[in-house]
Amino acid sequence: MPYWARSWGPAGATVNSRSAKVFSRLGDRKGAAENYAAAAATRPATTYARILALDLVAQAKMELAGGGIEQACGTWNRALDAMTGFQSVRTRRAVGEMRKSLAQSKSRGVAAAQELDERAALFLA
């Protein structure tokens, strides 16, 4: 495995994350979400928390795009859990984009979206 790829975590997680990006570009939301989930499942949270969180954010985007608002909210909550104790420019941007993505569901009264939006606002405060 090239040295640069080792900085992203175990080989399997890295391959799944990169594969998810390919599926996403091809328009295969389900394949992308499955690969992001596999990457997150095999990436150690203690060492790679930021990368884990970003994989979960990307997974949630694919779930939302596929119509699964409840599932996406659950995954975004896991991403926020992974972000506990740190913030980076990329994670703050991801949380801001998450809030924008939740706006329509929140305005329709989806409780999971409203609760997640409140939690995201606290993260950004």
Side-chain angles (χ1 to χ4, degrees):
M1 192 161 148
Y3 75 92
W4 54 266
R6 285 192 300 265
S7 66
W8 293 330
T14 301
V15 169
N16 282 120
S17 185
R18 294 292 157 198
S19 296
K21 291 177 189 327
V22 172
F23 279 109
S24 178
R25 293 278 181 161
L26 293 173
D28 183 348
R29 295 179 192 124
K30 184 176 184 270
E34 289 171 356
N35 276 274
Y36 280 125
T42 57
R43 196 180 306 280
T46 54
T47 311
Y48 302 98
R50 185 183 69 86
I51 298 168
L52 168 64
L54 293 172
D55 278 342
L56 290 168
V57 165
Q59 177 187 343
K61 284 182 188 178
M62 294 296 107
E63 292 167 348
L64 180 65
I69 182 62
E70 297 287 336
Q71 186 177 10
C73 287
T75 303
W76 269 318
N77 270 305
R78 288 181 49 219
L80 285 173
D81 291 343
M83 293 178 200
T84 300
F86 76 92
Q87 289 190 19
S88 70
V89 170
R90 286 186 69 193
T91 57
R92 288 184 63 79
R93 184 179 327 124
V95 172
E97 290 171 6
M98 173 184 52
R99 291 188 74 203
K100 288 179 188 172
S101 297
L102 290 170
Q104 184 178 20
S105 297
K106 185 180 156 192
S107 68
R108 287 193 332 240
V110 176
Q114 291 172 340
E115 292 167 12
L116 180 58
D117 186 62
E118 289 171 14
R119 185 173 178 208
L122 288 173
F123 176 84
L124 293 173

